[in-house]
Amino acid sequence: MSPREVVVLGYGMAGARLADEIRRRDPGAERVRLTVIGDEPHHAYNRVLLSAVVAGSMRPDSVRLHDEQWARRHGIDLRLGVAALGIDRAARTVALDDGTSVGYDALVFATGSTPWLPPVEGLTGEHGELAEGAVTFRSLGDCERILDAARVGAPVAVLGGGLLGLEAARGLAGRGNLVTVVHPAEHVLERQLDAGAGRVLARALGEFGIDFRLGRTAAKYLPGDGLKLDDGSHVDADLVVVSAGVRAETALASAAGIAVDRGIVVDDALRTSDGRVHAIGDCAQHPGTVSGLVQPAWEQAGVLADLLTGSDPSARYRGTSVVTRLKARGIDLAALGETHVETGDPDAEVLCVDDPARGRYAKLVLRDDRVTGAIVLGLPDAAATITQLHDRGSPAPGDRLGLLLGRALPSAAPAAASPADLPAATTVCRCNSVTKGQLVDAWRAGAASAEQLTTATRAGTGCGGCADTVRGIADWLASTA
Amino acid sequence: MTLTAESTTPSDTRTQTDTHCPYCALQCGMTVSGTAEVAPRAFPTNAGGLCQKGWTSAALLGSPARLTTPLVRVDGELRPASWDNALDLVASRLARLRAEHGADSVAVFGGGGLTNEKSYLLGKFARVALGTSQIDYNGRFCMSSAAAAGTKAFGLDRGLPFPLTDLADADAVVLVGANPAETMPPFGQHLRGAAAAGGLVVVDPRRTPTAEQANLHLAPAPGTDLALALGILHAVVADGLLDQSYLDQRTSGFDAVWRIVAGYWPEHVERITGVAAADQRRVAALLAGARNAYVLTARGAEQHATGVATVSAWINLALALGLPGRAGSGYGCLTGQGNGQGGREHGQKADQLPGYRAITDPVAREHVARVWGVPADTLPGPGRSAYELLDALGTDDGPKALLVFGSNVAVSAPDSRRVAERLSSLDLLVTADLVLSETSALADVVLPVTQWAEEDGTMTNLEGRILLRRKAVRAPEGVRTDLDVLSGLAARLGQPDGRFPADAETVFTELRAASAGGPADYSGVSYARLRDGEALHWPVPDEAHPGTPRLFLDRFAHADGRARFQPVEHKGPAEPPDADYPLLATTGRVLQHYQSGAQTRAIAELADSVPEAYVEVHPDTAARSGLADGDLARVTSRRGATTARVHCVASMRTDVVFLPFHFPGDQRANLLTNPALDPTSRMPEFKVCAVRMTTEDGAA
Ligand SMILES: Cc1cc2nc3c(=O)[nH]c(=O)nc-3n(C[C@H](O)[C@H](O)[C@H](O)COP(=O)(O)OP(=O)(O)OC[C@H]3O[C@@H](n4cnc5c(N)ncnc54)[C@H](O)[C@@H]3O)c2cc1C
Ligand code: SF4
């Protein structure tokens, strides 16, 4: 049997992962012959880490996921810097912008998403290109442009207080830029956070020198000067980072007559309306998940690799519950599930802690003892536990406050009790299973010092960690004698 | 060649003989008097400390549970027999099976508690007297993953490539899947410096007594330790903490590792492991900021179907920070069994010959065959690994007879119901044992043997230091040493006189020659030097050589002198939880018991402290199963069910239960465990399997 021709459009996080997963199942290219088309000039890189590149903690070349030999090593026909122009579904070919075309048995869209440009006067030129001094934040190329433009101390405006905008803002503030975030809603991250959390977050980011203009939109961009907002106020900016949201990249699919809604519509087998054509990642729209994050893209890649290689024809993608994690130094924020349920809600159990002075905010939504939503800001270890409970659908522990606050909750154990208060059954020396009661008995039987207690009971002869306690008990016994 | 100590000590009851504890790899120094009284002795590893097991160890010497006469099964019952009858019977049945079904129809199973001499002679006995390739040992269940990972990374595996006392100067120590506060308590003394400096980090799904002492406890979901190492390594790179000049000068392969690790940023890893991204970064900063730092792994990292990869991931982290091979810092594996180190060096492992040589290496075969006085081509090749060997017993192409030395596989092997079934399908099961362990109770012939204080022998402790254990008391009447047993069987199988000596020092002298030139070279170690108290860490290539306390200071053992990063990926547990088996079970040890408990359960003081199997569980999880503290629970996996007393522990993760594996019969934790094996080390996945918990009568 000759291998199937699989063509992947897009060599981003989903496309690269799909190729890796296919070769993991079919290392010898016996079942699948693979062609990957990517219009960026680089080998696949980890887009998620671009925020770290902007923040300066990572170099551009350290976010790469594949090296130059990757394609050759795995027998993959990789076309770098080549864009797909059109699809002929009847002939099963894809036309490329280098004038060639490739045929397929199965085609996969992994074309990701593209930044949405808000209608701001002067932001784009007549062909839709961005004006001088304005940059989107999506690709490695964008990062390089941002870093070139954002000289230390220069004022920067960030259009959009979503995840990307806030990560860029934090990164640039850390580099010494004067950053202003312009955001149309009344609080940042309004999709993921309730108003309280949004407030605490903006305040915490403010501590790093970031200014916010909330409930405002940009009306006009003047290169070299800055932004004029809808209330007539002005924001200085040598650079404008546009992070106002993304749109699934669906143009090729809809031109080919494939069903498209917000994204390319797929079923549980990640099939589009054409059974030979699949879609994964940011460009795909599956009812079980919100797109725009990498976790669903990777899980979809795993399922589709099972299907395309025939390793598991029954594999299905059922959706991913997403967790929002802001990657901004000094800020620890996680949000998941339903976060807009209020504490008074009669149908859900909702707990909320609001501690703006310490940059902490926590909200927990439970139904039937399961976590269905949470916002955890400034309480890092609690976030980790809550996320796992949510992912695994396990019942939450009865100690809700302990869950909500994690290590921030003072431990319930009383401070070191005096020897007199220790119950007799308390183990003093774990290495030798010696209880306080046994030490007291040994004292009564004639041991008259810490050393003699040790000889009589072996307490303190293992790791020696209880030596002080034994001495304390000896002192106490001596004083009560 | 008699030892002076041997000729005087046992008869003179006042003499204190310097020796070492019979149990774990810390091999605490102790003295044993002629009347079998134990006292701690100052020795670098234990600094005068002993745990309860060590203190009570002599109780087994004169215990009524001791076997003092060979037993032979007659009409389904084990009955006393004379040594001659028992050995004749074993030898003739082995010879017949060999003649009828070939040499591989007879198998041997050893243990990590056996002395170097026994391990060595057992391997030789299998390869020469029986001619079988089918020999392996229970060390597969302990240290094999770290051994394989260490060899891949450094070109050589020695648990700690530095003396334990070096830890005293560390300001950061990360313990991964290690619970020394229970498994080797005096070890804790070496962690005090790091704890005082705020740098003691413990990675364990449970809040163990060791985790209690930590400055930072990370509790990953069982089976996700590998991902955690990737997340911390990511943080090292992202936060600019990489030791680039060390990478350039002393390692290779980082780029391939980074391509993988780039996909494991801390927030992503948090979701896999449940360990906060902030804590991952904190560990990266702690290790990088320390003057002296160590990463130490143990069974918690190793006992997985991805054990080698997991240990490799932690070694990668240590390498990225430039720790291994630097004086005062490093990576090490905490060996568990008493002679876990020596036991894996001298040929009782399916793929090895003495001196830590590969059985497939023609030069090694030639060398060892010359020492043994046999043609190299008569030596068999590699055989099955421990679980695969047990799993094949009594099957069509599997062994029909098994000789067991120093192991209680009926309790300690994974999926123990299956193992017991395989053992009972054998034509012949022979054990050499101290007490009637659960495995011996199934045997056709049981040979009573001496234990530590009744014989001489060497052990190699967790630091690769060779120790002499000396005979301190007279053995009970009727008991023989394992060496004696092998010697007697070999003679009956037609081996020439002198090829299988029964005297420990004579065997050791031969071992030295066999190990000469190998990675674990003992040729310069002698009983005389050990008696003089010399601290000899292998390799010791000649008698003038002072030993090698610290390995890798100048170069690693690969041909190019560099350490090799290993590109490894997270896979997760072989058996994830699901609706039918919603909890993850993990297994381990308690302070009072050792391994399968065959020895320690026979000691009243220990058995009274921890008399029965228990299951540690979060109180909410217990309540959901209708259970309260102190109730009996039934814990069930796809392979079997076990009964255990509920211990409610508020610090447990709600999705995890813990069971110690020391108990017999229906209380065996290994009735549950999953024999999914690591592809390289063939280590079973003891540390995680999916279970459900119900009340004892099975109601949910
Ligand atoms: C700065 C930043 C930070 C982020 N942080 C997080 C985070 O913390 N967590 C998280 O889960 N997600 C995060 N994301 C989102 C995450 O990166 C995306 O969900 C993920 O990249 C989606 O993968 P994809 O392959 O679908 O799309 P992409 O990675 O965008 O890949 C699509 C590729 O296809 C190419 N392409 C498009 N059209 C064509 C064509 N016609 N011909 C050829 N090639 C084409 C594109 O150029 C691109 O290379 C972040 C994104 C950014 C930009
Ligand atoms: S069991 Fe280990 S820690 Fe305990 S005394 Fe023996 S050697 Fe020491």
Side-chain angles (χ1 to χ4, degrees), chain A residues 8-16 37-40 45-51 79 82-85 96 110-114 137-139 143 163-164 167 249 252 280-284 291-298 323 325-327, chain B residues 265 267:
Chain A
V8 181
L9 300 185
Y11 180 43
M13 295 199 73
I37 315 289
D39 64 1
E40 292 189 65
Y45 55 88
N46 188 343
R47 204 174 295 285
V48 167
L49 300 181
L50 293 184
S51 313
R79 316 278 180 93
V82 174
L85 294 179
L96 307 179
T111 46
S113 48
T114 42
F137 184 26
R138 177 76 195 170
S139 65
C143 278
L163 277 173
L164 286 191
E167 289 183 11
E249 183 54 71
L252 278 182
I280 58 173
D282 281 7
C283 68
S291 58
L293 292 171
V294 73
Q295 184 95 9
W298 281 358
V323 176
R325 230 32 196 86
L326 183 72
K327 305 187 306 302
Chain B
W265 60 101
E267 286 77 9

Side-chain angles (χ1 to χ4, degrees), chain A residues 295-319:
Chain A
Q295 184 95 9
W298 281 358
E299 288 175 15
Q300 290 164 356
V303 170
L304 188 55
D306 278 339
L307 295 172
L308 292 178
T309 57
S311 307
D312 178 5
S314 68
R316 289 294 179 271
Y317 175 73
R318 309 274 181 211

Side-chain angles (χ1 to χ4, degrees), chain B residues 125-162:
Chain B
F125 179 80
R127 271 71 177 239
V128 175
L130 297 174
T132 181
S133 68
Q134 302 297 301
I135 172 169
D136 212 57
Y137 80 126
N138 67 15
R140 283 282 181 195
F141 302 158
C142 303
M143 282 79 62
S144 60
S145 292
T151 305
K152 282 180 183 220
F154 309 123
L156 185 67
D157 151 51
R158 198 182 87 190
L160 298 181
F162 45 80

Side-chain angles (χ1 to χ4, degrees), chain A residues 62 321 388 398 407 433 463, chain B residues 52 192 258 271 279 620 653:
Chain A
S62 45
S321 70
Q388 289 232 319
R407 273 190 233 124
S433 313
C463 72
Chain B
Q52 198 177 4
R192 274 207 197 117
W258 174 248
R271 200 150 174 211
D279 286 343
D620 288 357
R653 290 175 59 109

